Amino acid sequence: MAIVSNQTLNNLRTTVRGEFKLAFEKANAESVYKKLATEIKSSSASNTYGWLSKFPQMRKWVGDRVIKDLSEASYQITNELYEATLGVQRTDIEDDNLEQYATISRAMGQETSDFLDREVAKLLQNGFSNTCYDGQNFFDDEHPVYPNTDGTGTASLVSNIYKKTASDNGTPWFLLALGREIKPLIVQHRTGFELEAITDTQNNTVFMKDQYLYGIRYRGSRGYGLWQQAVASKADLDDTAFEKAYELMQSFKRDGGDPMGMRPTALVVPPSLQSAAEKILKRTVLDNGAGNTNYNKIELIVNPWLA
């Protein structure tokens, strides 16, 4: 039987933190969210993204500079607090039953990375009902685009939802433009994922429950970038729908009428649409024997968290 000494607790703390860190870094390096979202460091309770709607376009310098003011209708992402806590029974330490906690710590590291993948998947799923910088839902039929570069005039209403019919109600799929510095989704970090420990025997939880606590703490949030970098659809996923959605993104214009120059780089689907997506992007020959012009046209991302 092991003696529960300070050295024993320090060794356990080192093991738990070390295994957590290694597992998190390994899982995080392969995370889906890193492909889909820009990571922004936050230094306050929330970040404001008014610049999304008014980022200036390069122009020939004639006369004075033309200054683009930040949008008055600023888009704000507020940080939230998250936790996950592991309880280690003191009797397990006394009985040298600690290997299980190294395994659990690795699982906690994996879960921490999965958390961000799940939350980014929710951004896409909820984009039909959650607003972005222009006050419209991220996926919407009425995004305003103005005839003048300063955002004045009577706006045209633009959709970033491809519809085959007005009653499309299938499983959503998404075309995203991920080749730019700012991606269509935002992951905002106020803190990193911190692993804290309570092992003092004078602590109420330790004294009353004979249990040491190891907890993950994180502050951050998620939100939307430019809607022009994303097209969603609930139509059946086939070659025609893919090509029409691809064309739709390429047609987007900025205020003033200049093309945005957006080009899809990824098709994001849930596992249930993987076969349909592979039929579009992975076969070299079509059913009629013709070559497939969509073969490897863009990256296929199958997100297991998209239900």
Side-chain angles (χ1 to χ4, degrees):
M1 177 181 293
I3 297 175
V4 184
S5 63
N6 287 335
Q7 184 61 49
T8 302
L9 293 174
N10 285 336
N11 290 343
L12 177 60
R13 185 184 303 112
T14 300
T15 296
V16 169
R17 285 177 172 169
E19 296 292 343
F20 168 83
K21 183 174 185 292
L22 288 174
F24 172 73
E25 290 177 349
K26 179 181 178 181
N28 194 245
E30 302 174 357
S31 293
V32 174
Y33 85 88
K34 284 182 169 293
K35 294 183 177 183
L36 308 183
T38 300
E39 295 186 86
I40 301 290
K41 291 185 178 180
S42 174
S43 59
S44 58
S46 63
N47 279 27
T48 299
Y49 295 87
W51 49 268
L52 282 173
S53 62
K54 296 297 181 184
F55 201 79
Q57 183 181 17
M58 290 294 293
R59 58 179 288 275
K60 185 176 180 180
W61 193 339
V62 178
D64 293 340
R65 286 180 178 270
V66 176
I67 300 172
K68 297 281 285 185
D69 292 327
L70 292 184
S71 173
E72 294 180 1
S74 297
Y75 177 55
Q76 191 173 77
I77 300 176
T78 301
N79 293 311
E80 299 175 327
L81 183 63
Y82 299 88
E83 65 84 24
T85 305
L86 169 67
V88 180
Q89 294 301 133
R90 185 172 180 174
T91 52
D92 283 337
I93 300 175
E94 292 174 339
D95 296 340
D96 290 329
N97 191 21
L98 299 181
E99 178 56 33
Q100 64 175 318
Y101 290 103
T103 302
I104 293 172
S105 299
R106 291 193 291 272
M108 291 177 73
Q110 176 72 61
E111 158 58 24
T112 301
S113 181
D114 288 350
F115 162 75
L116 292 176
D117 278 349
R118 290 199 306 271
E119 292 300 304
V120 166
K122 289 178 185 177
L123 282 178
L124 289 175
Q125 289 175 314
N126 298 332
F128 298 94
S129 56
N130 287 351
T131 58
C132 63
Y133 73 86
D134 65 359
Q136 299 299 121
N137 295 330
F138 185 62
F139 298 120
D140 200 274
D141 292 326
E142 298 183 347
H143 290 291
V145 177
Y146 293 90
N148 302 316
T149 57
D150 61 359
T152 61
T154 302
S156 299
L157 301 181
V158 178
S159 175
N160 64 337
I161 303 174
Y162 167 70
K163 296 178 180 179
K164 187 176 294 185
T165 69
S167 59
D168 289 341
N169 196 31
T171 301
W173 49 273
F174 310 91
L175 281 182
L176 303 181
L178 305 177
R180 299 190 172 219
E181 184 64 27
I182 302 297
K183 296 177 181 178
L185 306 175
I186 294 171
V187 170
Q188 180 175 290
H189 301 291
R190 179 65 181 89
T191 69
F193 290 91
E194 304 163 345
L195 187 62
E196 303 171 326
I198 296 178
T199 57
D200 185 351
T201 55
Q202 300 304 309
N203 179 273
N204 188 61
T205 298
V206 177
F207 182 79
M208 296 299 295
K209 296 186 177 181
D210 209 32
Q211 186 180 57
Y212 301 112
L213 299 181
Y214 294 83
I216 303 167
R217 180 184 184 274
Y218 170 72
R219 284 183 70 198
S221 193
R222 286 126 329 261
Y224 300 101
L226 294 175
W227 60 263
Q228 296 94 334
Q229 290 179 267
V231 170
S233 180
K234 295 182 180 180
D236 291 340
L237 178 56
D238 57 23
D239 293 283
T240 299
F242 169 80
E243 291 166 5
K244 291 293 185 181
Y246 193 101
E247 181 181 352
L248 175 61
M249 181 181 289
Q250 290 184 308
S251 72
F252 293 150
K253 297 180 179 180
R254 67 177 75 241
D255 289 348
D258 287 338
M260 292 284 290
M262 294 298 180
R263 183 181 66 83
T265 61
L267 172 60
V268 183
V269 300
S272 62
L273 292 180
Q274 181 172 354
S275 294
E278 288 178 345
K279 190 174 181 180
I280 296 168
L281 296 175
K282 298 302 182 182
R283 60 176 177 165
T284 57
V285 179
L286 302 177
D287 293 339
N288 62 8
N292 181 15
T293 58
N294 293 323
Y295 175 69
N296 280 345
K297 189 171 187 176
I298 60 176
E299 181 181 6
L300 173 59
I301 298 176
V302 181
N303 190 330
W305 305 114
L306 286 172

